[in-house]
């Protein structure tokens, strides 16, 4: 939490120095419209993320409710994901991204932010040195980062980027317990049931949910009215 506070302080300082503005450039002040957008984009993205696991269950994986799940564990998992999402959003869609939009335009800012986001995940996901994994991680996180960036550029608010980011991460990391913080809501049953599928099926199950999240969120954002500036 201290890290988030420091990020907000740095954001305020840079916003005052370079743009003569305050934290309003983040668009974090709650409004009815922003809350509605958050709900829509969070649910859409969470459903897309869950599709992959539903297909894996169809092909033989077995999952069960975590027997140790309680309100405290759920709150801790939710808070961990919120903090990690806020940390990344303030870095990659915060004041620096805002300045890039003003200096280079939306397209240039999105390209730079997406490239940086992809490179960052080489280290956060510990794939440095494995060329194939680095390429896959760069493409997937860079593409998702472009959607987060487009969400901010379209609304000048972090509500939608946070909603999409949190919907994807929370579902994968905690609802289906495939993140860095251990068991969440659902856990894989043991002994694991090994199912054999063809490569086309494996690739479909692995990447179709991600493609859906990108395409649907882009379509929803494309339909939104462009906000001229943070309000």
């Amino acid at each position: 939490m201290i890290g988030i506070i420091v990020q907000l302080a740095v954001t305020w300082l840079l916003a005052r120095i370079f743009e003569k503005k305050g934290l309003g450039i983040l668009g974090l002040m709650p409004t009815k419209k922003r809350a509605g957008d958050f709900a829509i984009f969070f649910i859409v993205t969470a459903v897309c993320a869950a599709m992959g696991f539903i297909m894996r269950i169809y092909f033989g994986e077995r999952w069960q409710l975590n027997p140790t799940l309680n309100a405290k564990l759920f709150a801790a998992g939710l808070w961990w994901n919120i903090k990690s999402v806020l940390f990344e959003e303030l870095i990659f869609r915060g004041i620096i991204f805002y300045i890039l939009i003003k200096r280079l335009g939306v397209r240039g800012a999105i390209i730079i932010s997406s490239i940086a986001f992809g490179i960052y995940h080489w280290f956060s996901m510990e794939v440095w040195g494995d060329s194939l994994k680095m390429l896959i991680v760069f493409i997937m996180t860079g593409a998702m980062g472009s959607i987060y960036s487009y969400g901010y550029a379209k609304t000048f608010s972090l509500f939608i980027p946070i909603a999409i980011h949190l919907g994807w991460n929370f579902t994968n990391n905690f609802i289906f317990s495939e993140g860095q913080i251990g068991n969440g809501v659902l856990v894989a049953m043991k002994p694991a049931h090994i199912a054999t599928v063809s490569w086309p099926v494996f690739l479909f199950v692995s990447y179709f949910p991600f493609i859906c999240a990108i395409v649907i969120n882009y379509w929803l954002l494309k339909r939104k009215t462009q906000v001229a500036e943070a309000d």
Side-chain angles (χ1 to χ4, degrees):
M1 186 61 186
I2 294 177
I4 302 297
I5 294 174
V6 171
Q7 284 181 296
L8 289 173
V10 171
T11 296
W12 177 84
L13 180 62
L14 293 177
R16 295 297 299 173
I17 293 173
F18 290 100
E19 300 294 333
K20 303 297 186 291
K21 295 184 179 182
L23 291 178
I25 64 170
L26 300 177
L28 288 175
M29 184 64 66
T31 65
K32 184 176 181 180
K33 186 176 186 304
R34 287 173 177 170
D37 285 340
F38 183 94
I40 291 170
F41 283 89
F42 177 86
I43 291 171
V44 165
T45 308
V47 169
C48 289
M51 278 197 306
F53 293 95
I54 293 171
M55 288 189 286
R56 285 162 58 176
I57 291 170
Y58 174 81
F59 286 109
E61 283 193 3
R62 297 177 299 177
W63 292 75
Q64 66 178 358
L65 187 66
N66 181 4
T68 65
L69 180 66
N70 53 41
K72 183 178 180 180
L73 178 62
F74 185 87
L78 178 60
W79 180 233
W80 187 92
N81 278 276
I82 290 173
K83 285 192 298 182
S84 67
V85 165
L86 279 174
F87 175 80
E88 292 183 358
E89 288 305 313
L90 287 172
I91 291 176
F92 295 100
R93 262 71 59 182
I95 177 60
I96 295 176
F97 184 60
Y98 180 90
I99 293 172
L100 287 174
I101 289 176
K102 295 302 180 182
R103 303 297 191 274
L104 304 178
V106 170
R107 180 174 297 180
I110 289 177
I111 290 173
I112 292 174
S113 177
S114 301
I115 291 173
F117 196 60
I119 293 174
Y120 162 80
H121 279 88
W122 286 345
F123 302 95
S124 68
M125 298 181 72
E126 300 180 352
V127 298
W128 180 261
D130 187 322
S131 299
L132 180 58
K133 287 184 178 179
M134 288 175 67
L135 178 62
I136 293 172
V137 166
F138 181 78
I139 291 173
M140 293 186 68
T141 58
M144 192 65 90
S146 70
I147 293 298
Y148 304 154
S149 298
Y150 185 43
Y152 175 84
K154 192 81 174 182
T155 63
F156 282 96
S157 169
L158 286 178
F159 265 74
I160 288 177
I162 289 173
I164 301 172
H165 201 162
L166 185 61
W168 185 262
N169 282 17
F170 185 64
T171 303
N172 284 286
N173 293 343
F174 193 70
I175 298 299
F176 286 94
S177 306
E178 290 204 340
Q180 303 171 352
I181 57 174
N183 292 339
V185 177
L186 298 171
V187 294
M189 294 177 64
K190 297 182 179 180
H193 176 69
I194 299 176
T196 302
V197 296
S198 65
W199 270 107
V201 171
F202 173 78
L203 293 174
F204 182 83
V205 171
S206 298
Y207 298 111
F208 182 72
F210 169 78
I211 294 171
C212 280
I214 294 289
V215 172
I216 294 174
N217 280 309
Y218 175 78
W219 179 78
L220 289 172
L221 286 169
K222 193 74 173 176
R223 290 168 56 87
K224 291 190 66 63
T225 301
Q226 175 67 57
V227 174
E229 182 58 90
D231 50 15

